Amino acid sequence: MSDSNRERDLVLTPNEFAFISDQTKGNINVYVGPYKTSLANTDKPVIFDAQSKKFDRCTLDKSLQTFTTAPEGWYVVMKNPPQDGTQPKNGTVSNLVALNVGRKVNIPGPINFALWPGQMVKVLRGHNLRSNQYLAVRVYDEDEAHKNWAKAVIKTKSSAEHPKDEEENSDGSETAEVTNIEDMPDLTMGKMLIIKGDSVSFYIPPTGIEVVRDVNGNYVREAVTLERLEYCILLDEDGNKRYIQGPAVVFPQPTEEFVYRNGSRKFKAIELNEMSGLYIKVIAPYEENGQAYKEGEELFITGKEQMIYYPRPEHAIIKYGNKERHYAIAIPAGEGRYYLNRKTGKVSLKKGPAMFLPDPREAVFVKRVLDPKKVKLWFPGNSEALEYNKHLKGELERRKSTEGYLEVSAEPSAAVEAEALDEEIAEKPRRKKKEKVSKEMAGDEFTRDQTFTPPRTITLDTKYDGAVTINLWTGYAILVVSKTGQRKVIVGPQTYLLEYDESLEAITLSTGTPKTTENTIDTVYLRALHNKISDIVKAESSDFTQVSITLSYRVNFTGDPEKWFNVQNYVKFLTDHMRSFIRNLVKKHTIMDFYGNGIDILRNGVLGASSKSNKRPGRLFEENNVHIYDLEVLDIRLSDISIENLLISAQQEVVKQTLRIDAEKRKLEFTQKSEDINQKISATKSVTVQKQFELEKKEAEKELELILSRINTEIQSKRRNLEANLEEQSLLTQINDAELERKQKEEDLLLDIAQKELQQELELLRADVEAVVQKAEAVSPKLIAALQSFADKALAEKVAQSMSPLAILGGKSVAHVFSNMLKGTKLAHVLENEAESDEIEENED
C-alpha cells in the first residue's frame, strides 16, 4: 500500500514541469517545480506529441519535462504562444490558458520557462555570419514582422571596413538585403530577404520572420568567393542570368540561384593566346567598344583580341563534340597542311614552320588518301599506314553519296601546352576550405553534331588534295620526278612536301649473299651514307688453290647528288666490278702468303695504302659517285680442307709458344707484387696495434675521471638531503605550535559559548516559574466555586436529558430518580434545590 502511494507522488525539482490530465473534467494542469503533491486516481500524467498534436498517456517518470532554456546568443521559436504572454510560474499548479493557436513567435535569450499544454518550441543558436556567408529569411507574418522589426538582434560591422554596396537587380529593382535594424524593407507575406555577412555579423530574427534552411538543412549559407580568373553565374526566376567576375564575394538575390556544373558553382575563365580561340554565337544584340553586334552573328575570338575570356549573357559557345576551344596546329619545318575554304571550296597548302589557327567560320582541314601501292613503296613495312588509308577510303565510299567528305578528328599539338597551363593554374596554393573550381565552360553553348554539320577536318578522295610528307632520315636520299620531266634529289635529314604533280622514282637493289639479280627489292629511299654491302668472292691463288672470301663494303655516296640515281641497281654494279678486281689481286699471291696476310692484301688493294694520317683513299665509282671508304674481311676459307688444316696447325704452334712465355712473365709479376703487399700489411697492422694501446689508455683515464665525478656528486647530494631534512624539521615544529595555539583558542571559544547558553536557559526557567506562580495566585476560592457550580449545572442538564426515559417508565420526575441515585454525593444538594424550585413554581401556577 505504501509503495503504491509513493508511485502516485509527483515530485518536481527546479527546472522541471509535468502535464497532468484530470480524467473527471478533461482539463490539463501544469505542475511546475519545485513542487510536491500526491496525485488522485483520476489524475493521469500525459505528454504532448508535437507530430500528432495529441496528449498521450505515459508513466509519471516520462511525464517529467525540463524547462525550455535559451542562453545568451540563442533564441526560441515558439508555436501557439499564450494570449496574455505569460508562461506557467515556478512552484505552482496552473490550468490551461488561452493560446494563440497557429501563431509563432521568436524569443531571444537568455530565457528559461515551462510550457503550456499544446505549445511547441525549438531552441536555435543565433546566426553568426562571416563576411562570405549569408542568410535567406522569409516573412511568414506580415503584421508581426512590421511590429517586431526593431526587436531583431542585429550586430552590424563597421561601415568603414565594410562599405555598403548599392546593388540593383538586372530588372532595376533594389536589392532585398538587411544591413541596419532601422532600415525596414518590404515585409510582404512570403517576401524573401538576404542577410549578408559582409555587413551583419550576428542575427536573430524577430517575430514574423523566419530563417530558411538550404537543401542540406543548414541555416547559414556560403556565398561564392571568387578569385582572379574565376566567375560564377546566377540564374533568376525570370530566366535571366547574371555573370560576376572575381575577385569578389557574391551574394545571390532572393530570387536567384547559383548555376552548378559538375558539382561546382565557380568556374575558371578561359585563357586564350594567339594559338587558341573560341567560336561564339551571338544570341542577343549588344554593343561593346562602340561596335554593335546583332543576334545570330558568329564571332571567332582569339588571344590577339582578348587574352582572358569571361562569358557574357549574349554569348553562346559553339562546340564541335566536347571541345570548346580551337587550338592552332603546329606545323614544323618541312611539313604542311591542306585546308578547305568553306565559302569558295578552294584547297590551299600551309607550309611550316608555322602555328596555324584557321578561322572555323571559313576554313577546315583536309587530308589526302593514298592508294595501297604508293603506301607500300613510299612507306615500306608500315602496315598501320596501309590499313589507315584503306579505312579512310572505305569510310569515304560509304559516306560519299550523302556528304561527300569524311570526318577526321584533329589532334592539335598546341592543345597539350594549353592543358598543361590550365593544370598549373589549378594547382596554385588554395585557402582552407576552398571550394571546388570547375575547368569546364559554364556559359550558354550550342552543341553541333559532327555527323550532319561540316567538321573541322575532312578527308577528300583526290590525288592532289592531301599534303604528302616524306620524312628523310640521316643518310637517305630520294629522287623526285614531276610530270613535266624535272627531277631533283632530296638528301636527308629533312622533310619534303610533294607537290601535286610530283612522285618518287623507284630504284632496284640486289639482296642476299652473294649478290644476284634473282632477289631484288624496289624502294624509293637510297641509303647515301654508311651503307653496308656484303658479298662472297671466290678466287684462285698463284699456286692454283681455291679461296672463298666473305667480305663487307662500307660505301658512301659523294659528290653531285644528281648522279646518285644514274645506276638502276648500284649494288649489283658495285659487286660485279669488285669481284673481278679481287680475283686479279689474289692471283698475284701464293696461298701461304695470302692465308697469313690476306686481310692486309685485300684492304691495301681495294682501299689503297695508308697515309701518314692513317687514312686510306678508298675507291670511287664515277658513274654514280659511290665511294668505298672501308672494307671488312669477315672470313677466308680454302676449298682444300687438308691444306687449311696444315696452315692452322702451324699457326697454333706459334701461338702456344707465345702463350708459355707470357705465362712465365705474369708469374714473376705476381710474386713481386704479392710480397710487396705482405710487407705493407705487416707495417699497417703494427701501427694499428699501437694506436689501439693509446686508445685503451685514454679510455682508462676517462673512466677514472667519471668514477671520481660520480663519487663527488653523491657526496654533495647526501649533504643537500641532510640540510633539507633539518630545515624541514624546523618548519614542522613551527607548524605544530601554530596548530596547538589555534586549537586552544577554539576550545576557549566553545567554552564561552556553552557558558552563555547555560545562563540563557537558567533565565528562561526562572521566568517560567515566576509566571506559574503568578497564574496560581490569580485563581481565588470564589472563582473556583463559581467554576464548580457552572460545571455541576452543566452535568445535571446532561443527566436529566439521559434519565428522562427512566422517569417516564417509573412515573416519577427525573430529579427524584437521579437524587436517589446520588444520595450521599456532593451533587445531592444541587438536585434538592432544583426540586424545591420546581415545587414552588407549581404551587404558584
Side-chain angles (χ1 to χ4, degrees), residues 767-821:
D768 291 340
V769 171
E770 291 177 356
V772 172
V773 171
Q774 291 175 1
K775 291 178 182 179
E777 291 177 354
V779 180
S780 61
K782 294 181 181 181
L783 179 60
I784 295 171
L787 292 174
Q788 186 175 2
S789 176
F790 290 149
D792 293 341
K793 288 181 180 182
L795 178 62
E797 289 177 0
K798 292 182 180 180
V799 170
Q801 292 175 2
S802 300
M803 294 298 178
S804 58
L806 297 174
I808 294 170
L809 294 175
K812 296 181 180 181
S813 65
V814 175
H816 288 90
V817 174
F818 192 63
S819 63
N820 292 328
M821 293 176 64

Side-chain angles (χ1 to χ4, degrees), residues 708-726:
L708 293 175
S709 175
R710 288 178 178 175
I711 294 171
N712 292 332
T713 303
E714 290 178 358
I715 293 171
Q716 293 178 1
S717 177
K718 290 181 179 180
R719 182 181 299 168
R720 291 176 182 175
N721 290 335
L722 293 174
E723 292 175 354
N725 290 332
L726 183 60

Side-chain angles (χ1 to χ4, degrees), residues 440-502:
E440 187 174 355
M441 171 68 188
D444 293 326
E445 60 187 31
F446 287 104
T447 301
R448 296 181 177 178
D449 196 333
Q450 298 186 62
T451 305
F452 304 101
T453 57
R456 291 179 294 170
T457 303
I458 62 176
T459 301
L460 303 177
D461 187 14
T462 173
K463 184 177 181 180
Y464 308 103
D465 288 341
V468 180
T469 303
I470 304 298
N471 295 317
L472 281 178
W473 297 344
T474 302
Y476 285 87
I478 57 173
L479 176 63
V480 180
V481 180
S482 66
K483 292 184 178 180
T484 59
Q486 296 179 353
R487 63 194 300 268
K488 55 184 174 181
V489 177
I490 309 300
V491 182
Q494 66 172 302
T495 300
Y496 183 76
L497 302 179
L498 292 179
E499 299 293 340
Y500 288 158
D501 61 343
E502 290 181 340

